[in-house]
């Protein structure tokens, strides 16, 4: 290597010319290390801005009060008329009225009470049977795949839990017997609550944690 100022050959290993003192060191070129291909570029986490579907944003289609009333009337006709006719027939055939109608002559009051007492017992037994039939009808059908009674199916309604899913038979049973509490409130307020609560729930729906929705 020669000095750029005086042209003297610089001793190898010297940074400066031994004749004139000119710096003759080798320039160092900074080389950046190669980027590793295995390390991907860092991307900061960004909250997803994917649009929410319209179905997810839409409110649940709660059944209206009058829709529920109409469904209840249909179920009442389905259950009440046949059972009422049967009870009347059985009372007249096997109850006190049937025996008293076949007697001739005056009836002693004490003897009349002996006929009336079995009639009331038969009526009480009939009411228990009717309640059992109602329980099996409502709880069984509302926990089935159709999620509703015949009346609710006619009105395109279904009974669900708070997640909009099908109830179990036990859950539907709890809802049925919670109607006793609704019926105990004066002026049918327990049922009328379905007209003004936020999710159109009657008192028994609030107790059981259920919703009545349109299909």
């Amino acid at each position: 290597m020669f000095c750029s100022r005086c042209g003297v050959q610089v001793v190898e290993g010297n940074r400066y010319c031994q004749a004139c003192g000119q710096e003759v060191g080798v320039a160092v070129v900074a080389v950046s290390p190669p980027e590793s291909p295995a390390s991907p570029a860092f991307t900061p986490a960004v909250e997803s801005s994917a649009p929410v579907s319209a179905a997810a944003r839409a409110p649940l289609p709660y059944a209206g009060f009058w829709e529920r009333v109409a469904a209840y009337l249909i179920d009442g006709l389905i259950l009440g008329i046949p059972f009422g006719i049967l009870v009347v027939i059985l009372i007249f055939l096997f109850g006190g009225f049937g025996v008293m109608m076949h007697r001739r002559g005056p009836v002693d009051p004490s003897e009349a009470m002996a006929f009336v007492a079995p009639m009331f017992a038969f009526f009480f037994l009939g009411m228990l049977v009717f309640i059992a039939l109602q329980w099996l009808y409502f709880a069984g059908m509302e926990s089935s795949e159709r999620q509703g009674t015949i009346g609710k199916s006619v009105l395109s309604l279904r009974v669900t839990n708070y997640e909009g899913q099908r109830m179990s038979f036990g859950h539907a049973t709890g809802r049925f017997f919670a109607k006793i509490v609704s019926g105990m409130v004066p002026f049918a307020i327990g049922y009328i609550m379905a007209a003004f609560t936020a999710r159109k729930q009657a008192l028994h729906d609030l107790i059981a944690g259920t919703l009545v929705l349109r299909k």
Side-chain angles (χ1 to χ4, degrees), residues 34-77:
E35 189 175 355
S36 175
S39 58
F42 173 75
T43 304
V46 180
E47 186 176 354
S48 174
S49 59
V52 181
S53 63
R57 293 194 306 265
L60 290 173
Y62 303 118
F65 173 74
W66 293 111
E67 291 175 305
R68 296 181 60 167
V69 170
Y72 188 79
L73 291 176
I74 293 173
D75 291 327
L77 291 174

